[in-house]
Amino acid sequence: MNILCIGAGYVGGPTMAVIADQCPDHRVTVVDINTSRIAAWNSDSLPIYEPGLAEVVARCRNRNLFYSTDIPRGIREADIIFVSVNTPTKMFGAGAGKAADLQYLEKTARSIIEYAESDKIVVEKSTLPVRTAQALSRVLHSNAKGLHFQIVSNPEFLAEGSAIRDLKNPDRVLIGGLETSQGRQAVDAVAGIYRRWVPEEKIITTGLWSSELTKLVANALLAQRVSSVNSISALCEKTGANINEVTRVAGLDSRIGAKFLKAGVGFGGSCFKKDILNLVYLCEFYGLPEVAAYWEQVVRINDYQAERFVRNMLAAMFNTLAGKKIALFGFAFKRDTGDTRESPAIAVTRQLHAEHAEIAICDPKALDNAKLDLADLAEGVTYTADPYTAARGAHAIAIITDWDEFRDLDYAQIYDAMNKPAFIFDGRGLVDAGRLHEIGFNVYPLGCPALTHF
Ligand code: UDX
Ligand code: ADP
Protein backbone atom coordinates (compact mmCIF):
# COMPACT_ATOMS: atom_id res chain seq x y z
CA MET A 1 0.00 0.00 0.00
CA ASN A 2 1.12 3.58 -0.64
CA ILE A 3 0.67 5.66 2.50
CA LEU A 4 1.04 9.43 2.33
CA CYS A 5 1.23 11.82 5.24
CA ILE A 6 0.74 15.53 4.60
CA GLY A 7 2.52 17.51 7.34
CA ALA A 8 5.99 16.53 8.58
CA GLY A 9 5.72 17.93 12.11
CA TYR A 10 5.86 16.55 15.63
CA VAL A 11 2.93 14.22 14.91
CA GLY A 12 3.35 13.25 11.25
CA GLY A 13 7.13 12.77 11.36
CA PRO A 14 7.43 10.23 14.21
CA THR A 15 4.11 8.50 13.45
CA MET A 16 5.03 7.73 9.87
CA ALA A 17 8.53 6.63 10.85
CA VAL A 18 7.05 4.01 13.19
CA ILE A 19 4.46 2.88 10.61
CA ALA A 20 7.27 2.44 8.05
CA ASP A 21 9.34 0.55 10.60
CA GLN A 22 6.51 -1.81 11.53
CA CYS A 23 5.20 -2.33 7.97
CA PRO A 24 8.24 -2.83 5.70
CA ASP A 25 6.00 -3.79 2.76
CA HIS A 26 4.11 -0.48 2.79
CA ARG A 27 5.66 2.54 1.12
CA VAL A 28 5.34 5.58 3.39
CA THR A 29 5.89 9.12 2.09
CA VAL A 30 5.79 12.27 4.21
CA VAL A 31 5.34 15.58 2.41
CA ASP A 32 5.37 19.17 3.61
CA ILE A 33 5.26 22.64 2.10
CA ASN A 34 8.19 23.58 4.33
CA THR A 35 11.24 22.70 2.23
CA SER A 36 13.79 23.23 5.01
CA ARG A 37 11.85 20.90 7.28
CA ILE A 38 11.86 18.17 4.62
CA ALA A 39 15.58 18.77 4.01
CA ALA A 40 16.16 18.30 7.74
CA TRP A 41 14.18 15.03 7.75
CA ASN A 42 16.46 13.88 4.94
CA SER A 43 19.62 14.88 6.85
CA ASP A 44 21.48 13.64 9.91
CA SER A 45 20.05 16.48 11.93
CA LEU A 46 16.30 15.78 12.21
CA PRO A 47 14.01 18.79 12.69
CA ILE A 48 12.72 17.52 16.05
CA TYR A 49 14.40 15.84 18.99
CA GLU A 50 12.67 12.70 20.21
CA PRO A 51 14.43 9.82 21.98
CA GLY A 52 14.75 6.81 19.65
CA LEU A 53 13.48 8.66 16.57
CA ALA A 54 16.84 9.01 14.80
CA GLU A 55 17.38 5.24 14.97
CA VAL A 56 13.96 4.45 13.48
CA VAL A 57 14.42 7.00 10.69
CA ALA A 58 17.93 5.71 9.93
CA ARG A 59 16.51 2.18 9.58
CA CYS A 60 13.67 3.08 7.22
CA ARG A 61 14.61 6.21 5.30
CA ASN A 62 15.00 5.59 1.58
CA ARG A 63 13.92 1.97 2.16
CA ASN A 64 10.17 2.41 2.57
CA LEU A 65 10.11 5.85 4.22
CA PHE A 66 10.50 8.95 2.08
CA TYR A 67 10.42 12.65 2.95
CA SER A 68 9.54 14.86 0.01
CA THR A 69 8.21 18.23 -1.09
CA ASP A 70 6.57 16.72 -4.18
CA ILE A 71 3.02 16.98 -2.86
CA PRO A 72 1.26 16.40 -6.25
CA ARG A 73 3.12 13.13 -6.83
CA GLY A 74 2.56 12.02 -3.25
CA ILE A 75 -1.19 12.58 -3.57
CA ARG A 76 -1.42 10.92 -6.99
CA GLU A 77 0.29 7.75 -5.82
CA ALA A 78 -1.35 7.39 -2.40
CA ASP A 79 -4.01 4.88 -1.40
CA ILE A 80 -4.37 6.34 2.09
CA ILE A 81 -3.61 9.97 2.98
CA PHE A 82 -2.97 10.93 6.60
CA VAL A 83 -3.46 14.63 7.20
CA SER A 84 -1.34 15.98 10.04
CA VAL A 85 -1.01 19.65 9.23
CA ASN A 86 -1.10 22.21 12.01
CA THR A 87 -4.43 23.35 13.41
CA PRO A 88 -3.41 26.21 15.70
CA THR A 89 -5.73 28.44 17.70
CA LYS A 90 -7.32 30.99 15.38
CA MET A 91 -5.95 34.47 16.11
CA PHE A 92 -8.33 36.59 14.00
CA GLY A 93 -12.00 37.09 13.20
CA ALA A 94 -14.82 35.00 14.67
CA GLY A 95 -13.63 32.71 17.45
CA ALA A 96 -10.23 34.48 17.71
CA GLY A 97 -8.20 33.14 20.64
CA LYS A 98 -10.27 29.96 21.01
CA ALA A 99 -11.48 28.30 17.81
CA ALA A 100 -9.20 26.08 15.72
CA ASP A 101 -7.73 27.70 12.62
CA LEU A 102 -8.66 25.26 9.88
CA GLN A 103 -7.11 27.10 6.94
CA TYR A 104 -4.20 24.64 6.59
CA LEU A 105 -6.57 21.69 6.69
CA GLU A 106 -8.80 23.17 3.99
CA LYS A 107 -5.80 24.01 1.80
CA THR A 108 -4.68 20.42 2.14
CA ALA A 109 -8.12 19.17 1.10
CA ARG A 110 -7.99 21.42 -1.94
CA SER A 111 -4.55 20.07 -2.88
CA ILE A 112 -5.93 16.54 -2.62
CA ILE A 113 -8.75 17.23 -5.08
CA GLU A 114 -6.41 19.10 -7.40
CA TYR A 115 -3.91 16.25 -7.77
CA ALA A 116 -5.85 13.06 -7.02
CA GLU A 117 -6.62 10.79 -9.96
CA SER A 118 -8.30 7.98 -8.00
CA ASP A 119 -10.52 7.41 -4.94
CA LYS A 120 -8.73 7.66 -1.60
CA ILE A 121 -9.10 7.21 2.11
CA VAL A 122 -8.34 10.49 3.91
CA VAL A 123 -7.39 10.13 7.56
CA GLU A 124 -7.64 13.02 10.03
CA LYS A 125 -4.54 12.74 12.21
CA SER A 126 -4.45 16.38 13.37
CA THR A 127 -6.63 17.24 16.35
CA LEU A 128 -9.77 18.85 15.03
CA PRO A 129 -13.07 20.24 16.27
CA VAL A 130 -15.85 17.67 16.34
CA ARG A 131 -17.69 17.47 12.98
CA THR A 132 -14.69 18.71 10.95
CA ALA A 133 -14.91 15.49 8.93
CA GLN A 134 -18.22 16.71 7.55
CA ALA A 135 -16.63 19.94 6.28
CA LEU A 136 -13.63 18.02 4.98
CA SER A 137 -15.90 15.62 3.12
CA ARG A 138 -17.83 18.49 1.54
CA VAL A 139 -14.64 20.17 0.28
CA LEU A 140 -13.25 16.88 -1.05
CA HIS A 141 -16.51 15.97 -2.79
CA SER A 142 -16.69 19.35 -4.52
CA ASN A 143 -14.21 17.86 -7.02
CA ALA A 144 -15.33 17.77 -10.65
CA LYS A 145 -13.57 14.47 -11.39
CA GLY A 146 -16.23 12.24 -9.82
CA LEU A 147 -13.70 10.99 -7.27
CA HIS A 148 -14.85 9.57 -3.95
CA PHE A 149 -13.14 10.03 -0.60
CA GLN A 150 -13.77 8.19 2.65
CA ILE A 151 -12.96 10.25 5.73
CA VAL A 152 -11.60 8.42 8.77
CA SER A 153 -10.61 9.96 12.10
CA ASN A 154 -7.49 8.47 13.70
CA PRO A 155 -6.35 10.94 16.37
CA GLU A 156 -2.82 10.58 17.67
CA PHE A 157 -2.29 10.22 21.42
CA LEU A 158 1.51 10.20 21.50
CA ALA A 159 3.17 12.47 24.04
CA GLU A 160 6.35 14.30 23.09
CA GLY A 161 9.50 12.96 24.69
CA SER A 162 8.03 9.45 24.66
CA ALA A 163 6.62 9.47 21.12
CA ILE A 164 8.40 6.38 19.83
CA ARG A 165 7.52 4.35 22.92
CA ASP A 166 3.89 5.55 22.77
CA LEU A 167 3.62 4.73 19.06
CA LYS A 168 5.14 1.26 19.43
CA ASN A 169 3.11 0.40 22.49
CA PRO A 170 -0.01 2.57 22.58
CA ASP A 171 -2.67 2.34 25.31
CA ARG A 172 -5.16 2.35 22.45
CA VAL A 173 -5.52 3.23 18.80
CA LEU A 174 -8.76 5.03 17.98
CA ILE A 175 -10.30 4.86 14.53
CA GLY A 176 -13.61 6.55 13.82
CA GLY A 177 -15.62 6.24 10.64
CA LEU A 178 -19.06 6.51 9.15
CA GLU A 179 -21.56 3.73 9.78
CA THR A 180 -21.82 2.79 6.10
CA SER A 181 -20.31 -0.22 4.38
CA GLN A 182 -17.72 1.99 2.65
CA GLY A 183 -17.06 3.77 5.94
CA ARG A 184 -16.48 0.44 7.70
CA GLN A 185 -14.16 -0.72 4.90
CA ALA A 186 -12.10 2.45 5.23
CA VAL A 187 -11.84 2.01 9.01
CA ASP A 188 -10.75 -1.58 8.47
CA ALA A 189 -8.06 -0.51 5.99
CA VAL A 190 -6.60 1.92 8.53
CA ALA A 191 -6.93 -0.66 11.33
CA GLY A 192 -5.00 -3.11 9.13
CA ILE A 193 -1.94 -0.85 9.30
CA TYR A 194 -1.95 -0.88 13.12
CA ARG A 195 -2.78 -4.60 13.39
CA ARG A 196 0.80 -5.30 12.30
CA TRP A 197 2.04 -4.44 15.80
CA VAL A 198 -0.85 -3.36 18.02
CA PRO A 199 -2.96 -6.08 19.71
CA GLU A 200 -6.49 -6.26 18.30
CA GLU A 201 -8.13 -5.40 21.64
CA LYS A 202 -6.30 -2.08 21.71
CA ILE A 203 -7.65 -0.99 18.34
CA ILE A 204 -10.93 0.73 19.14
CA THR A 205 -13.38 1.73 16.46
CA THR A 206 -16.12 4.32 17.01
CA GLY A 207 -18.30 6.70 15.05
CA LEU A 208 -16.60 9.63 13.37
CA TRP A 209 -17.90 12.33 15.74
CA SER A 210 -17.02 10.37 18.88
CA SER A 211 -13.50 9.85 17.60
CA GLU A 212 -12.98 13.54 16.87
CA LEU A 213 -14.38 14.56 20.26
CA THR A 214 -12.48 11.88 22.20
CA LYS A 215 -9.15 13.42 21.31
CA LEU A 216 -10.22 16.82 22.66
CA VAL A 217 -11.70 15.25 25.77
CA ALA A 218 -8.68 13.04 26.52
CA ASN A 219 -6.40 16.10 26.45
CA ALA A 220 -8.89 18.19 28.44
CA LEU A 221 -9.10 15.51 31.17
CA LEU A 222 -5.32 15.23 31.40
CA ALA A 223 -4.86 19.01 31.57
CA GLN A 224 -7.67 19.24 34.11
CA ARG A 225 -5.82 16.85 36.43
CA VAL A 226 -2.69 18.98 36.21
CA SER A 227 -4.61 22.21 36.89
CA SER A 228 -6.50 20.59 39.77
CA VAL A 229 -3.25 19.57 41.42
CA ASN A 230 -1.60 22.91 40.68
CA SER A 231 -4.51 24.77 42.28
CA ILE A 232 -4.06 22.68 45.43
CA SER A 233 -0.30 23.36 45.40
CA ALA A 234 -1.16 27.02 46.10
CA LEU A 235 -3.21 25.96 49.13
CA CYS A 236 -0.38 23.68 50.31
CA GLU A 237 2.07 26.59 50.29
CA LYS A 238 -0.32 28.60 52.49
CA THR A 239 -1.00 25.82 54.97
CA GLY A 240 2.26 23.90 55.35
CA ALA A 241 0.86 20.80 53.63
CA ASN A 242 3.09 19.08 51.04
CA ILE A 243 1.57 18.62 47.58
CA ASN A 244 3.70 15.55 46.86
CA GLU A 245 2.41 13.79 49.97
CA VAL A 246 -1.17 14.82 49.21
CA THR A 247 -1.11 13.61 45.59
CA ARG A 248 0.82 10.40 46.36
CA VAL A 249 -1.76 9.28 48.87
CA ALA A 250 -4.76 10.54 46.87
CA GLY A 251 -3.39 8.72 43.81
CA LEU A 252 -3.23 5.39 45.69
CA ASP A 253 -7.01 5.25 45.32
CA SER A 254 -7.32 3.11 42.20
CA ARG A 255 -10.25 5.24 41.08
CA ILE A 256 -7.97 8.29 41.00
CA GLY A 257 -4.70 6.66 39.91
CA ALA A 258 -1.16 7.95 40.34
CA LYS A 259 -0.40 9.39 36.91
CA PHE A 260 -0.61 13.04 35.87
CA LEU A 261 -0.78 14.32 39.44
CA LYS A 262 2.61 16.02 39.48
CA ALA A 263 2.34 19.66 40.52
CA GLY A 264 4.48 22.04 38.52
CA VAL A 265 4.88 25.50 37.14
CA GLY A 266 2.15 24.75 34.60
CA PHE A 267 1.45 22.57 31.61
CA GLY A 268 2.75 23.51 28.18
CA GLY A 269 2.94 21.86 24.81
CA SER A 270 1.09 22.39 21.58
CA CYS A 271 -2.02 20.44 22.59
CA PHE A 272 -3.47 21.09 26.02
CA LYS A 273 -4.22 24.80 25.86
CA LYS A 274 -5.20 24.73 22.20
CA ASP A 275 -7.51 21.75 22.61
CA ILE A 276 -9.24 23.07 25.72
CA LEU A 277 -9.82 26.45 24.09
CA ASN A 278 -11.17 24.59 21.09
CA LEU A 279 -13.53 22.67 23.41
CA VAL A 280 -14.56 25.93 25.10
CA TYR A 281 -15.34 27.44 21.71
CA LEU A 282 -17.40 24.44 20.67
CA CYS A 283 -19.42 24.59 23.90
CA GLU A 284 -20.09 28.30 23.40
CA PHE A 285 -20.99 27.68 19.76
CA TYR A 286 -23.49 24.99 20.73
CA GLY A 287 -25.06 27.25 23.42
CA LEU A 288 -23.49 25.65 26.51
CA PRO A 289 -21.89 28.63 28.34
CA GLU A 290 -21.72 26.86 31.74
CA VAL A 291 -19.80 23.95 30.22
CA ALA A 292 -17.51 26.37 28.40
CA ALA A 293 -16.76 28.31 31.62
CA TYR A 294 -16.01 25.06 33.47
CA TRP A 295 -13.29 24.02 31.02
CA GLU A 296 -11.91 27.52 30.51
CA GLN A 297 -10.96 27.57 34.18
CA VAL A 298 -8.40 24.79 33.50
CA VAL A 299 -6.45 27.21 31.27
CA ARG A 300 -6.87 30.11 33.71
CA ILE A 301 -5.42 28.11 36.60
CA ASN A 302 -2.50 27.21 34.35
CA ASP A 303 -1.75 30.87 33.59
CA TYR A 304 -2.19 31.68 37.29
CA GLN A 305 0.33 29.00 38.26
CA ALA A 306 3.17 30.53 36.20
CA GLU A 307 2.30 34.04 37.46
CA ARG A 308 2.19 32.78 41.03
CA PHE A 309 5.59 31.13 40.61
CA VAL A 310 7.23 34.45 39.70
CA ARG A 311 5.29 36.34 42.39
CA ASN A 312 6.65 33.86 44.97
CA MET A 313 10.18 34.44 43.69
CA LEU A 314 9.74 38.19 43.98
CA ALA A 315 8.33 37.94 47.53
CA ALA A 316 11.10 35.59 48.69
CA MET A 317 13.86 37.74 47.18
CA PHE A 318 12.99 40.85 49.18
CA ASN A 319 10.47 42.21 46.63
CA THR A 320 13.03 43.19 44.04
CA LEU A 321 14.57 41.27 41.17
CA ALA A 322 15.96 44.31 39.36
CA GLY A 323 19.55 43.68 38.28
CA LYS A 324 19.60 40.20 39.86
CA LYS A 325 20.77 37.25 37.79
CA ILE A 326 18.28 34.38 37.62
CA ALA A 327 19.38 31.05 36.11
CA LEU A 328 16.43 29.37 34.41
CA PHE A 329 17.00 25.61 34.40
CA GLY A 330 15.01 24.35 31.44
CA PHE A 331 13.01 26.04 28.70
CA ALA A 332 11.34 23.07 26.96
CA PHE A 333 7.71 22.46 28.00
CA LYS A 334 8.75 19.08 29.42
CA ARG A 335 11.88 16.96 29.52
CA ASP A 336 13.22 14.93 26.58
CA THR A 337 12.05 17.39 23.95
CA GLY A 338 13.35 20.57 22.34
CA ASP A 339 9.77 21.79 21.86
CA THR A 340 8.94 25.05 23.63
CA ARG A 341 5.43 25.62 22.33
CA GLU A 342 3.31 27.07 25.18
CA SER A 343 6.12 26.30 27.62
CA PRO A 344 5.54 28.00 30.99
CA ALA A 345 9.18 29.09 30.64
CA ILE A 346 8.03 31.73 28.16
CA ALA A 347 5.62 33.42 30.61
CA VAL A 348 8.10 33.07 33.48
CA THR A 349 10.92 34.67 31.46
CA ARG A 350 8.74 37.53 30.31
CA GLN A 351 7.63 38.28 33.87
CA LEU A 352 11.18 38.12 35.18
CA HIS A 353 12.26 40.40 32.36
CA ALA A 354 9.49 42.85 33.26
CA GLU A 355 11.01 42.89 36.79
CA HIS A 356 14.35 43.86 35.18
CA ALA A 357 16.05 40.62 36.18
CA GLU A 358 19.01 39.30 34.15
CA ILE A 359 17.96 35.88 32.91
CA ALA A 360 20.39 33.09 31.95
CA ILE A 361 18.48 30.35 30.14
CA CYS A 362 19.89 26.85 30.18
CA ASP A 363 18.43 23.85 28.34
CA PRO A 364 20.07 20.80 26.74
CA LYS A 365 17.81 20.77 23.64
CA ALA A 366 15.56 23.82 23.48
CA LEU A 367 17.88 26.82 23.16
CA ASP A 368 17.24 27.39 19.45
CA ASN A 369 13.49 27.48 20.01
CA ALA A 370 13.92 29.63 23.13
CA LYS A 371 15.81 32.23 21.11
CA LEU A 372 12.94 32.36 18.59
CA ASP A 373 10.32 32.63 21.36
CA LEU A 374 12.18 35.51 23.02
CA ALA A 375 13.49 37.22 19.89
CA ASP A 376 11.93 40.53 20.97
CA LEU A 377 13.79 40.53 24.32
CA ALA A 378 17.14 41.74 23.05
CA GLU A 379 18.62 42.78 26.38
CA GLY A 380 18.84 40.95 29.67
CA VAL A 381 18.58 37.37 28.38
CA THR A 382 21.51 35.02 27.74
CA TYR A 383 21.58 31.38 26.64
CA THR A 384 23.84 28.48 27.52
CA ALA A 385 23.65 24.70 27.47
CA ASP A 386 25.80 24.52 30.60
CA PRO A 387 23.96 24.85 33.95
CA TYR A 388 27.19 25.71 35.82
CA THR A 389 27.76 28.70 33.53
CA ALA A 390 24.11 29.77 33.88
CA ALA A 391 24.29 29.67 37.68
CA ARG A 392 27.66 31.39 38.06
CA GLY A 393 27.08 34.68 39.87
CA ALA A 394 23.30 34.12 39.95
CA HIS A 395 21.10 35.14 42.86
CA ALA A 396 18.60 32.37 42.17
CA ILE A 397 17.93 29.24 40.15
CA ALA A 398 14.42 28.55 38.87
CA ILE A 399 13.80 24.97 37.70
CA ILE A 400 11.21 25.06 34.93
CA THR A 401 11.76 21.77 33.06
CA ASP A 402 12.13 18.33 34.65
CA TRP A 403 15.28 17.28 32.73
CA ASP A 404 17.10 14.48 34.59
CA GLU A 405 20.35 16.39 34.03
CA PHE A 406 19.25 19.08 36.48
CA ARG A 407 18.64 16.57 39.28
CA ASP A 408 22.16 15.18 39.28
CA LEU A 409 24.25 18.37 39.21
CA ASP A 410 27.00 19.17 41.72
CA TYR A 411 24.88 21.66 43.66
CA ALA A 412 27.63 22.31 46.23
CA GLN A 413 29.84 23.59 43.42
CA ILE A 414 26.96 25.60 41.99
CA TYR A 415 26.20 27.10 45.42
CA ASP A 416 29.80 28.21 45.88
CA ALA A 417 29.72 30.14 42.60
CA MET A 418 26.41 31.91 43.30
CA ASN A 419 25.58 35.23 44.93
CA LYS A 420 24.47 34.89 48.57
CA PRO A 421 21.91 34.40 49.91
CA ALA A 422 21.37 31.80 47.16
CA PHE A 423 17.81 30.79 46.27
CA ILE A 424 16.44 27.84 44.37
CA PHE A 425 12.81 27.74 43.23
CA ASP A 426 11.97 24.22 42.16
CA GLY A 427 9.01 24.48 39.80
CA ARG A 428 8.98 20.76 39.09
CA GLY A 429 9.61 19.04 42.42
CA LEU A 430 12.84 17.78 40.87
CA VAL A 431 15.65 18.23 43.37
CA ASP A 432 16.19 16.95 46.93
CA ALA A 433 15.15 20.04 48.90
CA GLY A 434 16.64 18.81 52.21
CA ARG A 435 20.08 18.21 50.70
CA LEU A 436 20.13 21.56 48.95
CA HIS A 437 19.10 23.28 52.17
CA GLU A 438 22.01 21.58 53.95
CA ILE A 439 24.37 22.91 51.28
CA GLY A 440 23.18 26.43 52.11
CA PHE A 441 20.42 27.19 49.60
CA ASN A 442 17.12 28.78 50.52
CA VAL A 443 14.88 26.21 48.86
CA TYR A 444 11.32 26.85 47.64
CA PRO A 445 9.89 23.57 46.33
CA LEU A 446 6.59 24.25 44.59
CA GLY A 447 3.61 23.22 46.73
CA CYS A 448 5.78 22.42 49.78
CA PRO A 449 7.02 24.31 52.82
CA ALA A 450 10.09 26.45 52.05
CA LEU A 451 13.43 25.51 53.66
CA THR A 452 15.24 28.77 54.43
CA HIS A 453 18.12 30.00 56.54
CA PHE A 454 16.44 33.21 57.66
C1 UDX B 1 -0.25 15.56 25.46
C2 UDX B 1 -1.00 14.24 25.73
O1 UDX B 1 -0.39 13.57 26.84
C3 UDX B 1 -0.94 13.36 24.48
O2 UDX B 1 -1.72 12.19 24.70
C4 UDX B 1 -1.50 14.14 23.30
O3 UDX B 1 -1.40 13.37 22.11
C5 UDX B 1 -0.75 15.44 23.12
O4 UDX B 1 -0.79 16.21 24.33
P1 UDX B 1 2.30 16.28 25.41
O5 UDX B 1 1.75 17.68 25.42
O6 UDX B 1 3.33 15.93 24.40
O7 UDX B 1 1.12 15.23 25.26
O8 UDX B 1 2.97 16.00 26.85
P2 UDX B 1 2.39 15.57 28.28
O9 UDX B 1 3.27 14.51 28.82
O10 UDX B 1 0.95 15.29 28.27
O11 UDX B 1 2.67 16.87 29.16
C6 UDX B 1 1.96 18.09 28.94
C7 UDX B 1 2.36 19.11 29.97
O12 UDX B 1 1.82 18.79 31.25
C8 UDX B 1 3.87 19.26 30.19
O13 UDX B 1 4.21 20.63 30.28
C9 UDX B 1 4.12 18.55 31.49
O14 UDX B 1 5.23 19.05 32.18
C10 UDX B 1 2.82 18.85 32.23
N1 UDX B 1 2.51 17.86 33.28
C11 UDX B 1 2.24 16.57 32.95
C12 UDX B 1 2.50 18.25 34.61
O15 UDX B 1 2.75 19.42 34.94
N2 UDX B 1 2.19 17.32 35.57
C13 UDX B 1 1.90 16.02 35.26
O16 UDX B 1 1.63 15.24 36.20
C14 UDX B 1 1.93 15.64 33.91
P1 ADP C 1 1.98 18.98 14.91
O1 ADP C 1 2.62 19.24 16.26
O2 ADP C 1 0.48 18.86 14.96
O3 ADP C 1 2.62 17.86 14.15
P2 ADP C 1 3.51 20.90 13.38
O4 ADP C 1 3.31 22.38 13.31
O5 ADP C 1 4.72 20.36 14.04
O6 ADP C 1 2.18 20.33 14.05
O7 ADP C 1 3.47 20.28 11.91
C1 ADP C 1 2.54 20.58 10.94
C2 ADP C 1 3.24 20.59 9.58
O8 ADP C 1 2.24 20.72 8.56
C3 ADP C 1 4.22 21.76 9.37
O9 ADP C 1 5.50 21.26 9.07
C4 ADP C 1 3.61 22.55 8.17
O10 ADP C 1 4.59 23.09 7.31
C5 ADP C 1 2.80 21.46 7.49
N1 ADP C 1 1.74 21.99 6.62
C6 ADP C 1 0.84 22.96 6.89
N2 ADP C 1 0.02 23.16 5.85
C7 ADP C 1 0.39 22.31 4.87
C8 ADP C 1 -0.08 22.02 3.55
N3 ADP C 1 -1.12 22.67 3.02
N4 ADP C 1 0.56 21.06 2.82
C9 ADP C 1 1.62 20.39 3.36
N5 ADP C 1 2.09 20.61 4.60
C10 ADP C 1 1.50 21.56 5.35
Side-chain angles (χ1 to χ4, degrees):
M1 209 154 52
N2 271 327
I3 297 171
L4 176 72
C5 176
I6 303 182
Y10 284 89
V11 172
T15 308
M16 291 303 127
V18 169
I19 289 179
D21 200 24
Q22 302 291 338
C23 311
D25 52 330
H26 290 332
R27 184 187 162 89
V28 180
T29 306
V30 188
V31 292
D32 203 295
I33 41 172
N34 183 334
T35 48
S36 59
R37 208 165 217 192
I38 290 296
W41 279 110
N42 279 321
S43 76
D44 289 337
S45 160
L46 300 183
I48 61 175
Y49 171 71
E50 192 62 64
L53 175 64
E55 291 82 347
V56 178
V57 170
R59 237 187 341 261
C60 307
R61 195 170 54 195
N62 298 329
R63 180 192 75 183
N64 66 327
L65 175 64
F66 303 91
Y67 295 96
S68 162
T69 49
D70 192 347
I71 298 176
R73 179 176 169 200
I75 291 172
R76 256 193 329 270
E77 293 180 351
D79 303 301
I80 296 188
I81 301 177
F82 285 85
V83 180
S84 68
V85 298
N86 35 335
T87 50
T89 302
K90 194 176 169 199
M91 297 316 286
F92 54 88
K98 282 186 188 154
D101 184 348
L102 298 176
Q103 61 171 309
Y104 307 103
L105 182 84
E106 180 162 342
K107 282 187 189 126
T108 306
R110 292 188 185 279
S111 300
I112 293 174
I113 51 178
E114 186 176 353
Y115 300 116
E117 292 169 356
S118 57
D119 294 353
K120 316 225 175 260
I121 297 171
V122 176
V123 185
E124 297 175 340
K125 207 38 160 163
S126 319
T127 304
L128 299 165
V130 57
R131 292 203 81 88
T132 300
Q134 189 177 37
L136 189 58
S137 176
R138 284 190 183 142
V139 175
L140 289 170
H141 287 111
S142 67
N143 79 86
K145 304 177 193 170
L147 296 177
H148 197 78
F149 299 92
Q150 275 301 323
I151 319 288
V152 172
S153 159
N154 171 221
E156 185 47 62
F157 294 107
L158 69 81
E160 287 177 33
S162 56
I164 300 299
R165 199 173 63 226
D166 297 342
L167 285 162
K168 283 188 175 164
N169 189 19
D171 285 346
R172 78 300 205 193
V173 169
L174 172 58
I175 307 173
L178 285 178
E179 288 296 323
T180 59
S181 72
Q182 282 179 320
R184 278 190 286 271
Q185 269 175 27
V187 166
D188 197 54
V190 176
I193 297 172
Y194 291 100
R195 276 193 205 108
R196 299 292 187 86
W197 78 97
V198 180
E200 187 71 45
E201 67 274 12
K202 288 192 174 178
I203 301 177
I204 316 290
T205 57
T206 66
L208 207 40
W209 318 131
S210 300
S211 175
E212 288 180 330
L213 187 57
T214 301
K215 172 66 198 212
L216 289 183
V217 169
N219 276 346
L221 289 171
L222 290 170
Q224 180 202 39
R225 273 172 83 92
V226 176
S227 275
S228 297
V229 162
N230 284 345
S231 73
I232 300 301
S233 73
L235 184 60
C236 286
E237 287 169 19
K238 296 281 183 204
T239 56
N242 178 320
I243 190 67
N244 300 319
E245 291 178 348
V246 172
T247 51
R248 185 168 57 82
V249 181
L252 287 172
D253 185 326
S254 60
R255 294 169 303 175
I256 297 173
K259 292 184 182 163
F260 259 75
L261 291 182
K262 182 85 183 153
V265 62
F267 60 72
S270 71
C271 290
F272 282 0
K273 184 175 176 189
K274 177 186 75 149
D275 290 355
I276 292 181
L277 292 175
N278 190 338
L279 190 64
V280 168
Y281 178 75
L282 283 169
C283 294
E284 284 170 354
F285 177 82
Y286 286 107
L288 304 169
E290 291 83 359
V291 185
Y294 174 76
W295 286 105
E296 194 162 10
Q297 197 59 22
V298 173
V299 174
R300 289 213 182 150
I301 285 288
N302 197 52
D303 295 340
Y304 161 78
Q305 187 74 348
E307 282 163 30
R308 200 173 73 73
F309 184 75
V310 178
R311 272 206 307 274
N312 281 350
M313 289 178 71
L314 185 62
M317 295 175 72
F318 323 113
N319 291 313
T320 175
L321 298 173
K324 292 181 180 170
K325 182 178 178 188
I326 312 287
L328 221 64
F329 279 12
F331 204 86
F333 81 96
K334 61 187 279 197
R335 68 177 177 185
D336 293 338
T337 177
D339 194 356
T340 61
R341 288 178 294 177
E342 300 297 340
S343 174
I346 300 171
V348 167
T349 306
R350 288 188 181 281
Q351 277 184 77
L352 291 173
H353 190 263
E355 293 292 340
H356 295 185
E358 304 280 325
I359 306 135
I361 295 173
C362 167
D363 193 289
K365 296 285 178 197
L367 290 184
D368 289 345
N369 282 330
K371 286 174 194 167
L372 294 174
D373 295 329
L374 304 173
D376 57 311
L377 305 186
E379 306 245 311
V381 186
T382 54
Y383 303 88
T384 171
D386 176 31
Y388 297 94
T389 307
R392 193 172 306 128
H395 295 75
I397 295 169
I399 301 179
I400 307 295
T401 311
D402 50 345
W403 285 102
D404 281 338
E405 285 92 322
F406 297 144
R407 189 183 290 120
D408 305 325
L409 298 172
D410 182 346
Y411 277 101
Q413 185 191 329
I414 287 177
Y415 177 77
D416 286 342
M418 283 178 67
N419 246 297
K420 309 294 179 317
F423 292 83
I424 185 157
F425 299 89
D426 185 358
R428 291 289 177 185
L430 189 73
V431 291
D432 181 340
R435 200 172 61 80
L436 265 59
H437 184 240
E438 275 169 26
I439 290 172
F441 282 101
N442 295 296
V443 192
Y444 291 78
L446 191 137
C448 305
L451 301 177
T452 64
H453 295 284
F454 303 120

